[in-house]
Structures are given as structure tokens and as C-alpha cells.
Amino acid sequence: MRHSTLALLTVVTAAGVSYGYAGSPADAPLATALNRTVSVTLPDSHNVFPPGEGADIANSQCMICHSAGMVTRQPPLSYDEWKLEINKMRSAYGAPLPENQVDSLAKYLTAIAGKPQGK
Ligand code: HEC
């Protein structure tokens, strides 16, 4: 009987739509699609801070717990806001940055990711 060689594959998508595929499971396009390996290479630019005066502080102190991207992808902050943010890292999360480096780092972060002058 020919029908015995056919299998019915039913897939329910995230949207709740279900549709059937009648054919041999080996030929099912969905089964092939679900069995893919995807490889992703992340850009290196997020692994270090951009060059500038104070970049050495950021590179040594601000990637202990998270990536540079966590810092550089924030909306632009003012110098005072950066100081608050840096001090929050120190007091709330225990960042070991010495207090006498807070100003230099805030200047650096304002220069690379700060609000445009006058705002
Ligand atoms: C002085 C360098 C430095 C800078 C600049 C810095 N961090 Fe963080 N940082 C955190 C944690 C935890 C979060 C929150 C992550 C989350 O919300 O998912 C965070 C988040 C942030 C954010 C995102 C906004 C926010 O407030 O959540 C910024 C900006 C940031 N850190 C800046 C732990 C640290 C630690 C660990 C001791 C260190 C060191 C650290 N951070 C060093 C630094």
C-alpha cells in the first residue's frame, strides 16, 4: 500500500497556525530548516573602549563585570550624569575604581559618549 511510506508532519508555529506536510520525513523542508547551525561573529569594537585620554581607566576598570558595549551603547549622558553612573557602579555593584579616578573617567566617557555641547 503506497500510503504506508508517507508520514504527516504537523508544525504549530509560535503564532499558533498549524499546517501539514505530507511526505517522507527525510524530505520535509522544515525538518532541514530546524536542524541548522548558525555561527555569529561579534564585532571586536565592542570589546575595548575607543582610544582617548582615560581609555586605559575604562579598559581596566569597566570591563571587569560587563562589556564595553554596556557602557558605550547607553544614551549620551552629561559629565555629572556619568559621575553618578560611575559612583553607582562603585557603591551599588562594588566596582574597585579608586575615587581619585572618577573625574578623569567621567571626562573620558563624556568625550566619547556624552551629550553634545550645550545640551
Ligand atoms: C567604572 C567602570 C564602569 C562603568 C563606566 C560602568 N560600569 Fe557597570 N554594571 C554592573 C552591573 C551589575 C550592571 C547592571 C547590569 C544590568 O542591569 O543588567 C552594570 C551596568 C552598567 C551600565 C548600564 C546602565 C545601568 O546603570 O545599569 C553602565 C553605563 C555601566 N555599568 C557603566 C556592574 C559593574 C561592575 C562589577 C563590580 C563593574 C566593575 C562595573 N560595572 C564597572 C563599570
Side-chain angles (χ1 to χ4, degrees):
M1 217 174 88
R2 281 184 61 111
H3 279 117
S4 62
T5 59
L6 297 178
L8 181 69
L9 178 72
T10 302
V11 174
V12 180
T13 66
V17 183
S18 76
Y19 50 95
Y21 175 79
S24 144
D27 297 333
L30 275 165
T32 311
L34 293 173
N35 216 2
R36 273 183 319 183
T37 303
V38 178
S39 137
V40 176
T41 307
L42 298 174
D44 284 343
S45 57
H46 289 299
N47 295 332
V48 285
F49 283 88
E53 199 179 324
D56 51 333
I57 306 175
N59 281 321
S60 62
Q61 296 288 336
C62 303
M63 291 193 293
I64 299 170
C65 307
H66 50 66
S67 69
M70 172 71 107
V71 183
T72 56
R73 282 194 294 263
Q74 297 302 313
L77 302 179
S78 68
Y79 171 77
D80 287 341
E81 289 165 331
W82 273 121
K83 270 182 87 163
L84 287 175
E85 186 64 36
I86 294 164
N87 281 318
K88 174 179 145 189
M89 292 302 129
R90 297 173 70 236
S91 56
Y93 301 130
L97 177 80
E99 190 174 1
N100 65 9
Q101 293 187 358
V102 172
D103 279 7
S104 311
L105 180 59
K107 276 186 200 140
Y108 166 73
L109 292 173
T110 313
I112 61 152
K115 287 181 177 163
Q117 292 258 309
K119 299 234 167 141

